[in-house]
Amino acid sequence: QEKLEESGGGLVQAGGSLRLSCAASGRVSGSGFSTYAMNWFRQAPGKEREFVAGISRGTGSTSYADSVKGRFTVSRDNAQRMVFLQMNNLKPEDTAVYYCGAGGVVTSTPRRIAYWGHGTQVTVSS
């Protein structure tokens, strides 16, 4: 059984920071974790799920949505089977449920994600 579990969300004031973690187990784990590209998406109420950041398998190259460039950093630890999203200088418009997703490539297309976590709520107050 494949499983991704996010943690680290919460309530923070604008300008603050949070670090999200995503732990893999089951099929998205073991030696298989390093073969997946890992992506972070977010979904605000009434809006579609949108790409935030991704990190490739292999080289670990990263990609970011324009709205978070320079503020968010994605990283991964294959030995721990985890992926992280460091979020700095948070803004109220960053408020959303954040999801990690595993797939073959870094992608901004949700339907190309093979496995999803259940999400963690991030709320940024003004």
Side-chain angles (χ1 to χ4, degrees):
Q1 181 177 352
E2 54 282 340
K3 182 179 178 183
L4 295 172
E5 185 170 358
E6 304 91 340
S7 61
L11 173 64
V12 64
Q13 288 188 331
S17 298
L18 284 173
R19 187 187 192 218
L20 305 184
S21 300
C22 173
S25 61
R27 188 175 298 178
V28 190
S29 186
S31 60
F33 178 79
S34 63
T35 69
Y36 288 93
M38 299 299 297
N39 298 270
W40 286 96
F41 284 74
R42 67 187 181 187
Q43 189 165 17
K47 295 187 177 181
E48 293 186 351
R49 193 167 295 191
E50 66 173 0
F51 173 77
V52 175
I55 184 164
S56 70
R57 56 188 176 182
T59 63
S61 60
T62 58
S63 179
Y64 298 92
D66 287 343
S67 59
V68 307
K69 280 181 181 176
R71 300 188 297 123
F72 290 11
T73 303
V74 61
S75 61
R76 65 189 298 162
D77 184 334
N78 288 335
Q80 297 290 330
R81 299 183 291 278
M82 296 189 72
V83 62
F84 307 97
L85 186 67
Q86 177 67 43
M87 306 186 297
N88 298 327
N89 190 22
L90 282 160
K91 303 176 181 180
E93 52 263 43
D94 294 318
T95 295
V97 177
Y98 283 70
Y99 299 89
C100 69
V105 296
V106 172
T107 179
S108 61
T109 306
R111 67 175 181 271
R112 298 185 70 183
I113 298 297
Y115 306 107
W116 289 103
H118 292 295
T120 185
Q121 176 71 47
V122 171
T123 303
V124 184
S125 63
S126 57

